Amino acid sequence: MKDIREQLRGMAKVYGVKLTERQAEQFQIYMEMLVEWNEKINLTSITDPDQVVEKHFLDSLTLLEACPPKEGARVADVGTGAGFPGLALKIARPDIALTLLDGVNKKLNFLGEVCQALGLKAERVHKRAEEAGRDRSMRESFDLVTGRAVAALNVLSEYCLPLVKMKGYFAAMKGPGAAAELAEAQRALEILGGGAIQCKQTELPTAGERNIIVVRKLGFTPKEYPRHGGTISKHPL
């Protein structure tokens, strides 16, 4: 397997993220386990080492520049899948208290094995996002909630904003077309308590435009949200 350590350190530095040798080694192990496990369960369509570095690791790390969590922040990654961006953030910022949320237990089992191999701790929660948003122990308790490649923004906001504490942040990781999604999601963001909104654009070396929509929560989410089951995606706010 290709050694990506120095490549990743050099690329991350361009985006304001300095990785130690130990952190680069953790990413190396993560990549090797991702490729190995992907032969058994469907984690990602991207397995080429150079593509993993850019489209998974580097893409995830751009969040640290766009919306850096405070020291010791509680961070939730909704629909984490193979751990992006959540586990990548935890490697770079081991101080954060990370919750990895997914409805597919096999993926959480993979992430548990990766965390053990890397010597990191993260809470893994096997729930659908709308179930978590109605769970009193999780609702409005996170400093930062993020989602990547999960759903359109008007849907993703109903999954994520109920989990964000007052004055915390929701960060949606998007590709091109983020402005159109944001326009469609304005009503949802307003209803769910979203306040100040910024769209931060960056460019990945070969993958091109990436956008991170950062929403500060300035109002409590009404108790009727999130709604149940398929209602959120079938009838977006």
Side-chain angles (χ1 to χ4, degrees):
M1 185 71 67
K2 180 178 178 179
D3 188 329
I4 62 164
R5 290 175 292 180
E6 289 309 309
Q7 175 188 1
L8 179 59
R9 290 184 75 188
M11 293 174 79
K13 194 173 181 180
V14 174
Y15 295 86
V17 180
K18 293 182 179 179
L19 300 175
T20 65
E21 288 184 10
R22 170 60 181 154
Q23 287 167 327
E25 173 66 17
Q26 288 174 313
F27 275 111
Q28 177 75 32
I29 295 167
Y30 188 1
M31 182 194 70
E32 291 174 3
M33 293 184 71
L34 177 69
V35 173
E36 179 187 346
W37 275 66
N38 202 58
E39 294 178 1
K40 297 178 282 187
I41 63 173
N42 182 28
L43 293 168
T44 177
S45 60
I46 299 168
T47 55
D48 174 75
D50 292 330
Q51 295 290 300
V52 171
V53 167
E54 180 179 346
K55 294 183 178 179
H56 284 328
F57 296 161
L58 193 63
D59 187 34
S60 296
L61 293 174
T62 60
L63 186 58
L64 293 176
E65 191 173 40
C67 188
K70 67 181 183 181
E71 185 78 18
R74 287 195 73 196
V75 178
D77 182 12
V78 170
T80 186
F84 308 118
L87 195 48
L89 299 181
K90 180 69 175 177
I91 294 172
R93 284 283 307 275
D95 62 282
I96 65 172
L98 176 65
T99 296
L100 299 165
L101 179 68
D102 205 275
V104 181
N105 207 35
K106 288 189 290 187
K107 294 179 180 179
L108 293 173
N109 289 339
F110 161 71
L111 293 172
E113 293 291 327
V114 176
C115 286
Q116 186 172 14
L118 302 185
L120 296 173
K121 289 183 180 179
E123 184 180 12
R124 292 170 292 128
V125 177
H126 181 217
K127 283 185 178 180
R128 295 177 62 85
E130 62 270 27
E131 295 170 342
R134 293 191 298 271
D135 184 328
R136 290 184 181 180
S137 68
M138 299 181 73
R139 185 179 177 90
E140 296 188 320
S141 64
F142 292 93
D143 300 291
L144 171 63
V145 178
T146 187
R148 175 180 179 263
V150 175
L153 186 61
N154 55 356
V155 173
L156 184 63
S157 59
E158 191 169 349
Y159 290 150
C160 293
L161 270 168
L163 295 165
V164 181
K165 64 168 37 172
M166 181 65 77
K167 296 188 178 178
Y169 294 90
F170 160 45
M173 305 190 73
K174 295 289 180 179
E181 281 196 48
L182 182 54
E184 286 184 5
Q186 288 288 346
R187 179 173 178 269
L189 294 171
E190 185 177 330
I191 289 171
L192 297 164
I197 301 168
Q198 292 180 292
C199 186
K200 302 188 178 184
Q201 188 176 114
T202 189
E203 291 276 334
L204 292 179
T206 64
E209 181 185 333
R210 289 290 186 270
N211 293 278
I212 300 176
I213 298 169
V214 180
V215 181
R216 189 152 200 214
K217 188 164 183 177
L218 297 176
F220 291 108
T221 300
K223 62 182 180 181
E224 60 264 34
Y225 302 104
R227 293 167 292 167
H228 290 270
T231 307
I232 298 172
S233 56
K234 289 177 185 174
H235 304 286
L237 292 173

